[in-house]
mmCIF file of all heavy atoms in Angstrom:
data_model
loop_
_atom_site.group_PDB
_atom_site.id
_atom_site.type_symbol
_atom_site.label_atom_id
_atom_site.label_comp_id
_atom_site.label_asym_id
_atom_site.label_seq_id
_atom_site.Cartn_x
_atom_site.Cartn_y
_atom_site.Cartn_z
ATOM 1 N N LYS A 109 107.726 152.974 127.097
ATOM 2 C CA LYS A 109 106.377 152.991 126.385
ATOM 3 C C LYS A 109 105.316 152.530 127.322
ATOM 4 O O LYS A 109 104.201 152.954 127.357
ATOM 5 C CB LYS A 109 106.403 152.309 125.105
ATOM 6 C CG LYS A 109 107.143 153.036 123.991
ATOM 7 C CD LYS A 109 107.137 152.365 122.712
ATOM 8 C CE LYS A 109 108.014 153.142 121.637
ATOM 9 N NZ LYS A 109 108.004 152.402 120.401
ATOM 10 N N ILE A 110 105.661 151.281 127.918
ATOM 11 C CA ILE A 110 104.576 150.664 128.771
ATOM 12 C C ILE A 110 104.245 151.638 129.997
ATOM 13 O O ILE A 110 103.105 151.817 130.312
ATOM 14 C CB ILE A 110 105.076 149.333 129.203
ATOM 15 C CG1 ILE A 110 105.059 148.328 128.171
ATOM 16 C CG2 ILE A 110 104.227 148.847 130.457
ATOM 17 C CD1 ILE A 110 105.855 146.998 128.374
ATOM 18 N N GLU A 111 105.265 152.194 130.577
ATOM 19 C CA GLU A 111 105.055 153.206 131.690
ATOM 20 C C GLU A 111 104.290 154.319 131.239
ATOM 21 O O GLU A 111 103.454 154.787 132.017
ATOM 22 C CB GLU A 111 106.478 153.489 132.264
ATOM 23 C CG GLU A 111 107.032 152.412 133.030
ATOM 24 C CD GLU A 111 108.541 152.735 133.442
ATOM 25 O OE1 GLU A 111 109.057 153.856 133.175
ATOM 26 O OE2 GLU A 111 109.189 151.933 134.096
ATOM 27 N N LEU A 112 104.648 154.899 130.133
ATOM 28 C CA LEU A 112 103.878 156.076 129.493
ATOM 29 C C LEU A 112 102.404 155.728 129.266
ATOM 30 O O LEU A 112 101.522 156.460 129.582
ATOM 31 C CB LEU A 112 104.628 156.527 128.207
ATOM 32 C CG LEU A 112 103.942 157.842 127.673
ATOM 33 C CD1 LEU A 112 104.215 158.920 128.712
ATOM 34 C CD2 LEU A 112 104.851 158.097 126.427
ATOM 35 N N THR A 113 102.215 154.569 128.711
ATOM 36 C CA THR A 113 100.823 154.173 128.366
ATOM 37 C C THR A 113 100.092 153.986 129.841
ATOM 38 O O THR A 113 98.949 154.445 129.864
ATOM 39 C CB THR A 113 100.721 152.836 127.541
ATOM 40 O OG1 THR A 113 101.532 152.963 126.493
ATOM 41 C CG2 THR A 113 99.389 152.358 127.308
ATOM 42 N N GLU A 114 100.727 153.414 130.771
ATOM 43 C CA GLU A 114 100.071 153.143 132.051
ATOM 44 C C GLU A 114 99.805 154.555 132.662
ATOM 45 O O GLU A 114 98.765 154.743 133.285
ATOM 46 C CB GLU A 114 100.989 152.350 132.857
ATOM 47 C CG GLU A 114 100.161 151.750 134.111
ATOM 48 C CD GLU A 114 101.135 150.768 135.033
ATOM 49 O OE1 GLU A 114 102.048 150.092 134.278
ATOM 50 O OE2 GLU A 114 100.893 150.707 136.154
ATOM 51 N N LEU A 115 100.759 155.511 132.621
ATOM 52 C CA LEU A 115 100.595 156.781 133.107
ATOM 53 C C LEU A 115 99.493 157.507 132.503
ATOM 54 O O LEU A 115 98.672 158.124 133.103
ATOM 55 C CB LEU A 115 101.845 157.611 133.050
ATOM 56 C CG LEU A 115 101.820 159.090 133.451
ATOM 57 C CD1 LEU A 115 101.408 159.165 134.862
ATOM 58 C CD2 LEU A 115 103.149 159.687 133.325
ATOM 59 N N GLN A 116 99.436 157.502 131.098
ATOM 60 C CA GLN A 116 98.414 158.066 130.432
ATOM 61 C C GLN A 116 96.971 157.541 130.788
ATOM 62 O O GLN A 116 95.994 158.321 131.056
ATOM 63 C CB GLN A 116 98.519 157.880 128.902
ATOM 64 C CG GLN A 116 99.678 158.725 128.330
ATOM 65 C CD GLN A 116 99.921 158.384 126.877
ATOM 66 O OE1 GLN A 116 99.755 157.338 126.436
ATOM 67 N NE2 GLN A 116 100.514 159.501 126.171
ATOM 68 N N PHE A 117 96.924 156.275 130.832
ATOM 69 C CA PHE A 117 95.547 155.620 131.318
ATOM 70 C C PHE A 117 95.239 156.139 132.830
ATOM 71 O O PHE A 117 94.054 156.586 133.007
ATOM 72 C CB PHE A 117 95.812 154.140 131.354
ATOM 73 C CG PHE A 117 94.575 153.352 131.832
ATOM 74 C CD1 PHE A 117 93.446 153.134 131.044
ATOM 75 C CD2 PHE A 117 94.617 152.854 133.128
ATOM 76 C CE1 PHE A 117 92.339 152.664 131.603
ATOM 77 C CE2 PHE A 117 93.512 152.114 133.583
ATOM 78 C CZ PHE A 117 92.393 151.902 132.796
ATOM 79 N N ASN A 118 96.158 156.155 133.662
ATOM 80 C CA ASN A 118 95.821 156.519 135.021
ATOM 81 C C ASN A 118 95.536 158.048 135.126
ATOM 82 O O ASN A 118 94.794 158.484 135.889
ATOM 83 C CB ASN A 118 97.009 156.204 136.065
ATOM 84 C CG ASN A 118 96.930 154.697 136.314
ATOM 85 O OD1 ASN A 118 95.912 154.035 136.546
ATOM 86 N ND2 ASN A 118 98.114 154.133 136.253
ATOM 87 N N LEU A 119 96.180 158.767 134.261
ATOM 88 C CA LEU A 119 95.917 160.251 134.275
ATOM 89 C C LEU A 119 94.624 160.552 133.790
ATOM 90 O O LEU A 119 93.835 161.422 134.327
ATOM 91 C CB LEU A 119 96.951 160.972 133.491
ATOM 92 C CG LEU A 119 96.864 162.467 133.307
ATOM 93 C CD1 LEU A 119 96.885 163.126 134.677
ATOM 94 C CD2 LEU A 119 97.859 162.987 132.289
ATOM 95 N N ARG A 120 94.226 159.892 132.714
ATOM 96 C CA ARG A 120 92.796 160.044 132.159
ATOM 97 C C ARG A 120 91.721 159.691 133.239
ATOM 98 O O ARG A 120 90.791 160.450 133.393
ATOM 99 C CB ARG A 120 92.515 159.165 130.985
ATOM 100 C CG ARG A 120 93.178 159.727 129.699
ATOM 101 C CD ARG A 120 92.680 159.058 128.398
ATOM 102 N NE ARG A 120 93.316 159.571 127.302
ATOM 103 C CZ ARG A 120 94.341 158.977 126.727
ATOM 104 N NH1 ARG A 120 94.739 157.764 126.979
ATOM 105 N NH2 ARG A 120 94.859 159.507 125.554
ATOM 106 N N ILE A 121 91.983 158.571 134.000
ATOM 107 C CA ILE A 121 91.009 158.231 135.014
ATOM 108 C C ILE A 121 91.011 159.357 136.031
ATOM 109 O O ILE A 121 89.909 159.762 136.532
ATOM 110 C CB ILE A 121 91.278 156.816 135.648
ATOM 111 C CG1 ILE A 121 91.092 155.751 134.603
ATOM 112 C CG2 ILE A 121 90.671 156.603 136.885
ATOM 113 C CD1 ILE A 121 91.745 154.380 135.013
ATOM 114 N N ALA A 122 92.035 159.764 136.515
ATOM 115 C CA ALA A 122 92.219 160.659 137.557
ATOM 116 C C ALA A 122 91.641 161.988 137.129
ATOM 117 O O ALA A 122 90.916 162.821 137.843
ATOM 118 C CB ALA A 122 93.659 161.018 137.993
ATOM 119 N N LEU A 123 91.774 162.463 135.881
ATOM 120 C CA LEU A 123 91.258 163.669 135.306
ATOM 121 C C LEU A 123 89.673 163.579 135.265
ATOM 122 O O LEU A 123 88.935 164.578 135.515
ATOM 123 C CB LEU A 123 91.799 164.071 133.916
ATOM 124 C CG LEU A 123 93.121 164.593 133.954
ATOM 125 C CD1 LEU A 123 93.600 164.720 132.404
ATOM 126 C CD2 LEU A 123 93.275 165.984 134.545
ATOM 127 N N LEU A 173 97.904 159.962 141.705
ATOM 128 C CA LEU A 173 98.941 159.445 140.931
ATOM 129 C C LEU A 173 100.300 159.567 141.573
ATOM 130 O O LEU A 173 101.362 159.571 140.973
ATOM 131 C CB LEU A 173 98.994 160.461 139.577
ATOM 132 C CG LEU A 173 97.799 160.502 138.687
ATOM 133 C CD1 LEU A 173 98.054 161.646 137.673
ATOM 134 C CD2 LEU A 173 97.575 159.105 138.050
ATOM 135 N N PHE A 176 102.989 157.565 139.979
ATOM 136 C CA PHE A 176 103.599 157.966 138.673
ATOM 137 C C PHE A 176 103.952 159.481 138.710
ATOM 138 O O PHE A 176 104.218 160.054 137.702
ATOM 139 C CB PHE A 176 102.338 157.997 137.656
ATOM 140 C CG PHE A 176 102.001 156.491 137.521
ATOM 141 C CD1 PHE A 176 100.815 155.967 138.157
ATOM 142 C CD2 PHE A 176 102.698 155.714 136.650
ATOM 143 C CE1 PHE A 176 100.477 154.718 137.879
ATOM 144 C CE2 PHE A 176 102.280 154.425 136.528
ATOM 145 C CZ PHE A 176 101.200 153.856 137.088
ATOM 146 N N PHE A 180 105.115 161.673 135.645
ATOM 147 C CA PHE A 180 104.118 162.620 135.216
ATOM 148 C C PHE A 180 104.872 164.050 135.036
ATOM 149 O O PHE A 180 104.704 164.661 133.984
ATOM 150 C CB PHE A 180 103.011 162.805 136.322
ATOM 151 C CG PHE A 180 102.002 163.805 136.047
ATOM 152 C CD1 PHE A 180 101.150 163.670 134.992
ATOM 153 C CD2 PHE A 180 101.948 165.112 136.690
ATOM 154 C CE1 PHE A 180 100.252 164.661 134.752
ATOM 155 C CE2 PHE A 180 101.131 166.035 136.456
ATOM 156 C CZ PHE A 180 100.065 165.829 135.413
ATOM 157 N N TYR A 187 106.780 166.388 127.005
ATOM 158 C CA TYR A 187 105.849 165.996 125.888
ATOM 159 C C TYR A 187 104.623 166.936 125.906
ATOM 160 O O TYR A 187 103.849 166.923 126.883
ATOM 161 C CB TYR A 187 105.441 164.558 126.069
ATOM 162 C CG TYR A 187 106.480 163.504 126.109
ATOM 163 C CD1 TYR A 187 106.900 162.987 127.295
ATOM 164 C CD2 TYR A 187 107.206 163.320 125.013
ATOM 165 C CE1 TYR A 187 107.995 162.190 127.275
ATOM 166 C CE2 TYR A 187 108.226 162.415 125.014
ATOM 167 C CZ TYR A 187 108.653 161.845 126.130
ATOM 168 O OH TYR A 187 109.655 160.928 126.152
ATOM 169 N N ASP A 189 102.128 167.073 123.668
ATOM 170 C CA ASP A 189 100.878 166.322 123.411
ATOM 171 C C ASP A 189 100.960 165.011 124.253
ATOM 172 O O ASP A 189 100.595 163.908 123.571
ATOM 173 C CB ASP A 189 100.645 165.950 121.925
ATOM 174 C CG ASP A 189 101.908 166.320 121.056
ATOM 175 O OD1 ASP A 189 102.659 165.351 120.952
ATOM 176 O OD2 ASP A 189 101.862 167.406 120.531
ATOM 177 N N PHE A 190 101.178 165.052 125.449
ATOM 178 C CA PHE A 190 101.279 163.890 126.297
ATOM 179 C C PHE A 190 100.084 163.108 126.410
ATOM 180 O O PHE A 190 99.997 161.810 126.342
ATOM 181 C CB PHE A 190 101.812 164.492 127.634
ATOM 182 C CG PHE A 190 102.010 163.495 128.726
ATOM 183 C CD1 PHE A 190 103.010 162.552 128.580
ATOM 184 C CD2 PHE A 190 101.170 163.356 129.819
ATOM 185 C CE1 PHE A 190 103.265 161.583 129.528
ATOM 186 C CE2 PHE A 190 101.380 162.431 130.837
ATOM 187 C CZ PHE A 190 102.476 161.516 130.598
ATOM 188 N N ILE A 191 98.841 163.723 126.477
ATOM 189 C CA ILE A 191 97.639 163.154 126.697
ATOM 190 C C ILE A 191 96.754 162.884 125.476
ATOM 191 O O ILE A 191 95.847 162.223 125.489
ATOM 192 C CB ILE A 191 96.820 163.905 127.811
ATOM 193 C CG1 ILE A 191 95.703 163.214 128.421
ATOM 194 C CG2 ILE A 191 96.309 165.183 127.062
ATOM 195 C CD1 ILE A 191 96.271 162.181 129.295
ATOM 196 N N ASN A 192 97.235 163.281 124.205
ATOM 197 C CA ASN A 192 96.559 163.186 122.979
ATOM 198 C C ASN A 192 96.143 161.866 122.763
ATOM 199 O O ASN A 192 96.698 160.881 122.608
ATOM 200 C CB ASN A 192 97.216 163.954 121.946
ATOM 201 C CG ASN A 192 97.205 165.413 122.017
ATOM 202 O OD1 ASN A 192 96.376 165.921 122.860
ATOM 203 N ND2 ASN A 192 98.126 166.104 121.420
#
Side-chain angles (χ1 to χ4, degrees):
K109 285 180 183 178
I110 290 170
E111 289 172 354
L112 184 60
T113 302
E114 193 174 336
L115 174 60
Q116 288 174 331
F117 176 75
N118 286 315
L119 180 59
R120 281 192 182 105
I121 290 172
L123 283 173
L173 300 172
F176 297 99
F180 178 73
Y187 304 107
D189 13 87
F190 182 65
I191 199 72
N192 292 341

